[in-house]
Amino acid sequence: MVTIDNISEGRGAETADSSARQDNAASCSNSHPLEITTEDPVDGSTDMSLADGAQSSGNGHNLAGLTNHVVNTLREWYVLASDSIADILEGRLIQQPSKDVWLLGRHYEAARFEQNDASQGWMDKYPPGFVEDFSRLIWCTYRSHYPPIAPSAFTTDAGWGCMLRAGQTLLAQALQLHHFGRNWDFSWESSRDEDKRRSRQYVGIVKQFFDDYSGTSIFSIHRMSSIGKKFEGKDIGQWFGPHGTASIIRKLAQEAKHELNVYTTTDGVVYLADICADEFQPTLILVTSMLGIDRVNPVYYPFIQASLTLPQSAGIAGGKPSSALYFAGFQGDELFYLDPHYTRQAVIHRNDDAYTAADLATYSCSTPRRIPLGRLDPCMVFGYYCDTLASLIDLRSRIDLLADDGMKTLLTFDNGHSPDTAAVRVETDVGTSIQPDGPSKSVAAISTDAQTHDDAMSLELLPQSDSDSSGIAVSEGSGCSVEHRSEGSEIVLEEGNASEEEWVTDM
């Protein structure tokens, strides 16, 4: 199984040229979004040189860096101009009261500032700690000058890989949640063992998105494009949609036997029997949804916002028409996003694996950008990370409560297997039997004879989502062990019992 320790320690097939190391520029500029500077508005630096091996690679890299700088600057001006015009047309330039901020399940109370205090910058309008938290999001963008994506000659994904990059960004946040929890801050310069451990883990996460075919680059643009061509029928260089991106992430995780299980659904139904077939594995649930025709139906606005307040939220990969974006939070009716449409040179593998904050600076951004809900494209992927069975049950309970309050939700839970699951193999005292799936809404029970086996068990799946979800008690442990009381009934899943059955599912 691929784990972060394997990656961060550099094990696996990996090639590097330590003499060709990039001098990655700093993260996004903190200048006002309408303030034009001579710096790269994305990288915050005019230095396009390389730190090591600049003379050997010479003018080619400098020219590439200058080209990216110009293109990124033009992109930035275009975004600022178009957003400003849209704000004027929508009457959004009127000063609005300060509102609370949410970022991936974390709440920041509205910042208090004096309206007439000219000494306060525009970033001070955000609550304390929010910008720092936002800057710790891993940001995947277009890259250039990486090895060609076989069998094509593409050495950049600029112009076609934005949704794949948005999917990478969502997955990167899920991996941070997996390894750090929600408190993922650390100091690169600290000598504390905990900070050193976290910095190694952070490097291990980012390396999974490096742009090559090395063994540690599990979710590289190269592998995503190749899987898309094989299973989605997309030629390399074609634009991918949210559904295809979610399917690619799931397939790559399966092939790598990744420590993170990836579950996808296109109809909004999460089949619990598919997720909890044996011992529970930390799971990223990807829900692909179409929330309108040309624009998002306003009836779904509350759920989009509520989704980003959930502690399980890993964000949303969506965008505006023809431009993919990654959404991580909101303030009022505007979503905070990371934009993948900026081209940076690919980061080169290092033999010693000793990356610094400067080496990976282009994977972070400290300038929050916002987009109104009314400008969103209706097709998007919602991500939810559940590290334990308790977290999965908590997610279900929270979604049920939203639905009970009258909110139009996109997510429901079913106790059975998905229709795509071919069969469930159950070992009994008689032998092995293959049982096709029953109706998806049934509350099935699979049991062995308690009088025949001393270790016999009784396994009943949880009640359906439309049942009363109050009174849930979840025991600790990695096995599927849950006690759920609902409307006078009592259903018990004893710890470790699930592993005594051999369930074979076609995920």
Side-chain angles (χ1 to χ4, degrees):
M1 173 181 290
V2 175
T3 66
I4 197 71
D5 293 330
N6 295 338
I7 294 173
S8 62
E9 293 175 10
R11 290 192 292 266
E14 178 177 332
T15 59
D17 181 5
S18 59
S19 65
R21 174 171 155 243
Q22 289 185 342
D23 178 20
N24 292 322
S27 59
C28 299
S29 167
N30 285 338
S31 59
H32 191 286
L34 296 181
E35 179 180 320
I36 304 301
T37 70
T38 58
E39 295 182 342
D40 188 321
V42 176
D43 292 339
S45 173
T46 55
D47 183 8
M48 291 295 154
S49 64
L50 301 179
D52 298 330
Q55 287 114 5
S56 60
S57 20
N59 296 332
H61 283 284
N62 286 331
L63 179 61
L66 179 60
T67 301
N68 289 343
H69 172 78
V70 172
V71 172
N72 291 339
T73 301
L74 293 175
R75 164 75 185 179
E76 187 77 359
W77 287 351
Y78 168 77
V79 171
L80 294 177
S82 59
D83 286 351
S84 298
I85 292 173
D87 287 340
I88 293 174
L89 295 177
E90 296 174 7
R92 289 182 171 273
L93 294 186
I94 301 175
Q95 182 66 47
Q96 299 292 331
S98 183
K99 298 179 181 179
D100 289 0
V101 170
W102 285 89
L103 185 70
L104 295 185
R106 179 170 288 181
H107 178 225
Y108 294 90
E109 293 186 359
R112 297 182 180 180
F113 58 94
E114 296 295 333
Q115 298 284 348
N116 298 324
D117 188 355
S119 65
Q120 292 187 328
W122 73 279
M123 296 292 286
D124 295 327
K125 297 180 182 179
Y126 290 121
F130 165 71
V131 175
E132 291 79 4
D133 197 13
F134 184 87
S135 67
R136 297 186 186 105
L137 300 174
I138 294 177
W139 183 21
C140 298
T141 67
Y142 289 154
R143 296 280 166 173
S144 65
H145 294 82
Y146 48 61
I149 304 176
S152 75
F154 279 101
T155 58
T156 180
D157 55 299
W160 58 270
C162 58
M163 179 51 71
L164 296 179
R165 296 298 186 178
Q168 286 180 332
T169 305
L170 188 157
L171 177 58
Q173 274 33 272
L175 290 172
Q176 288 209 93
L177 290 171
H178 179 61
H179 291 285
F180 305 140
R182 190 55 184 85
N183 298 313
W184 47 44
D185 58 314
F186 64 91
S187 173
W188 284 92
E189 294 78 19
S190 174
S191 59
R192 293 175 60 246
D193 290 341
E194 179 63 17
D195 284 329
K196 289 181 179 180
R197 182 186 66 83
R198 287 194 167 213
S199 65
R200 288 194 300 269
Q201 288 182 319
Y202 181 85
V203 169
I205 292 172
V206 174
K207 284 177 62 178
Q208 296 185 53
F209 304 99
F210 277 6
D211 305 287
D212 52 45
Y213 285 107
S214 69
T216 57
S217 303
I218 302 168
F219 302 103
S220 67
I221 196 72
H222 294 64
R223 285 196 164 89
M224 297 184 81
S225 300
S226 299
I227 288 291
K229 179 177 177 62
K230 181 177 181 181
F231 293 99
E232 300 293 325
K234 294 276 190 179
D235 289 332
I236 297 171
Q238 283 189 292
W239 190 83
F240 286 81
H243 169 68
T245 299
S247 299
I248 289 170
I249 291 174
R250 176 182 175 179
K251 187 65 178 178
L252 286 174
Q254 289 176 332
E255 288 189 349
K257 294 181 172 57
H258 201 273
E259 58 188 327
L260 187 65
N261 177 43
V262 178
Y263 178 90
T264 60
T265 175
T266 58
D267 59 2
V269 181
V270 176
Y271 294 92
L272 298 176
D274 288 347
I275 295 179
C276 193
D278 197 350
E279 282 197 357
F280 183 85
Q281 182 181 353
T283 299
L284 172 63
I285 299 174
L286 298 177
V287 183
T288 306
S289 301
M290 188 73 176
L291 307 182
I293 301 177
D294 297 324
R295 300 287 182 179
V296 175
N297 190 324
V299 73
Y300 292 110
Y301 289 175
F303 180 78
I304 294 174
Q305 294 169 307
S307 178
L308 294 170
T309 69
L310 299 175
Q312 295 86 358
S313 176
I316 303 170
K320 53 187 178 181
S322 302
S323 295
L325 303 170
Y326 167 76
F327 305 114
F330 69 93
Q331 183 178 36
D333 66 345
E334 296 179 313
L335 301 186
F336 293 104
Y337 68 86
L338 290 172
D339 188 349
H341 299 87
Y342 294 95
T343 306
R344 284 79 172 271
Q345 293 187 53
V347 177
I348 305 300
H349 275 287
R350 298 190 58 180
N351 284 328
D352 57 4
D353 214 24
Y355 295 93
T356 66
D359 294 327
L360 303 181
T362 55
Y363 282 93
S364 65
C365 176
S366 57
T367 304
R369 290 293 173 81
R370 296 179 295 185
I371 181 173
L373 287 163
R375 298 181 197 168
L376 302 185
D377 187 270
C379 195
M380 57 188 70
V381 177
F382 292 76
Y384 305 96
Y385 169 72
C386 299
D387 59 339
T388 63
L389 182 63
S391 179
L392 175 61
I393 300 305
D394 179 71
L395 172 64
R396 171 180 174 168
S397 179
R398 291 173 184 269
I399 297 296
D400 286 347
L401 289 175
L402 294 177
D404 291 342
D405 289 340
M407 184 179 294
K408 185 71 172 178
T409 63
L410 306 174
L411 196 59
T412 58
F413 293 83
D414 187 286
N415 295 326
H417 290 276
S418 67
D420 294 335
T421 303
V424 178
R425 186 173 66 189
V426 182
E427 297 292 340
T428 66
D429 55 337
V430 179
T432 302
S433 61
I434 302 297
Q435 301 179 359
D437 288 341
S440 61
K441 291 296 183 180
S442 65
V443 183
I446 304 174
S447 63
T448 58
D449 188 349
Q451 296 179 350
T452 305
H453 296 288
D454 293 335
D455 60 348
M457 45 80 74
S458 178
L459 176 67
E460 295 187 5
L461 300 180
L462 298 176
Q464 302 303 313
S465 284
D466 55 3
S467 300
D468 181 11
S469 59
S470 61
I472 299 178
V474 183
S475 62
E476 298 297 330
S478 61
C480 293
S481 175
V482 176
E483 182 176 347
H484 182 104
R485 297 180 178 87
S486 175
E487 297 180 355
S489 64
E490 181 173 317
I491 298 176
V492 178
L493 289 146
E494 295 296 341
E495 183 173 359
N497 281 343
S499 62
E500 297 174 15
E501 298 285 344
E502 185 178 3
W503 289 19
V504 179
T505 61
D506 180 13
M507 297 291 286

